Amino acid sequence: MTDQNASTAPENTSPSRLMRFEATPGSSRQTLIADRRLCVGPPGNVFVFGGVLFGSALAALEDHLQRPVVWSTIQFLSPVRPEETLELTIQVPGPGRTVSQARVVGRVGDREIFLATAALGVREEPLDHAWDAAPDVPPPEACETAKLWPHGQEPGTLLETLEMRIPP
């Protein structure tokens, strides 16, 4: 999550990736450095946005297993501050033929940051139905802009780059 990686796609990653992992091919450990532009929070209390950490965990799992995520969850235990080095450790306790069960533990030094678990894989079965339909909402340009952090935002952080709109 270094500064240079947030704006361009690093080698060997998809263009949609916001971060680059430092890892040995085939390794179950990956390292990221928290970039301030991926942080949120009021002045004096800036931390890496949880969605960025979750996305990092899932991207690490997909890269490691070469399978897409089917289902996932995460538990946050502690914040990551700008410039801290986050180490991701991948474990695959259930390697399956079509779907694998895996987890990622994120740590900064001895401090555990999060635990993410996921099922990854693909079944070649036809989809015969969907359980929910998307709600009927107006397009974003017809919705009001919402303030994402009502008490002020530290300059140079993630929420300066996002625009949230709330349907009426």
Side-chain angles (χ1 to χ4, degrees):
M1 289 188 278
T2 62
D3 198 43
Q4 69 189 39
N5 300 324
S7 59
T8 59
E11 221 174 285
N12 300 324
T13 63
S14 73
S16 63
R17 292 279 170 87
L18 293 173
M19 70 288 295
R20 176 176 51 116
F21 304 109
E22 299 291 337
T24 305
S27 171
S28 62
R29 293 185 186 270
Q30 299 187 5
T31 304
L32 304 122
I33 299 174
D35 178 347
R36 179 175 195 74
R37 291 182 300 156
L38 300 177
C39 293
V40 295
N45 190 22
V46 176
F47 52 92
V48 178
F49 181 61
V52 169
L53 295 175
F54 198 13
S56 298
L58 298 180
L61 284 172
E62 287 184 337
D63 287 349
H64 184 73
L65 292 170
Q66 294 298 295
R67 291 180 168 185
V69 170
V70 176
W71 171 91
S72 61
T73 187
I74 191 167
Q75 296 296 311
F76 295 103
L77 308 169
S78 182
V80 178
R81 303 295 178 184
E83 305 309 317
E84 286 187 318
T85 300
L86 177 69
E87 183 178 276
L88 305 179
T89 303
I90 299 168
Q91 300 168 329
V92 186
R97 192 172 56 244
T98 57
V99 176
S100 295
Q101 304 298 316
R103 64 179 158 249
V104 179
V105 177
R107 288 187 174 85
V108 171
D110 293 335
R111 193 173 88 238
E112 197 163 303
I113 303 300
F114 65 78
L115 172 62
T117 58
L120 298 94
V122 176
R123 285 216 170 108
E124 298 300 326
E125 300 170 3
L127 179 64
D128 60 356
H129 67 279
W131 285 274
D132 259 333
D136 186 27
V137 295
E141 52 279 351
C143 299
E144 290 186 35
T145 303
K147 188 169 183 176
L148 295 174
W149 202 272
H151 305 294
Q153 182 66 38
E154 182 82 15
T157 56
L158 182 64
L159 295 184
E160 286 188 343
T161 65
L162 301 178
E163 180 181 281
M164 179 184 270
R165 295 188 174 244
I166 306 292

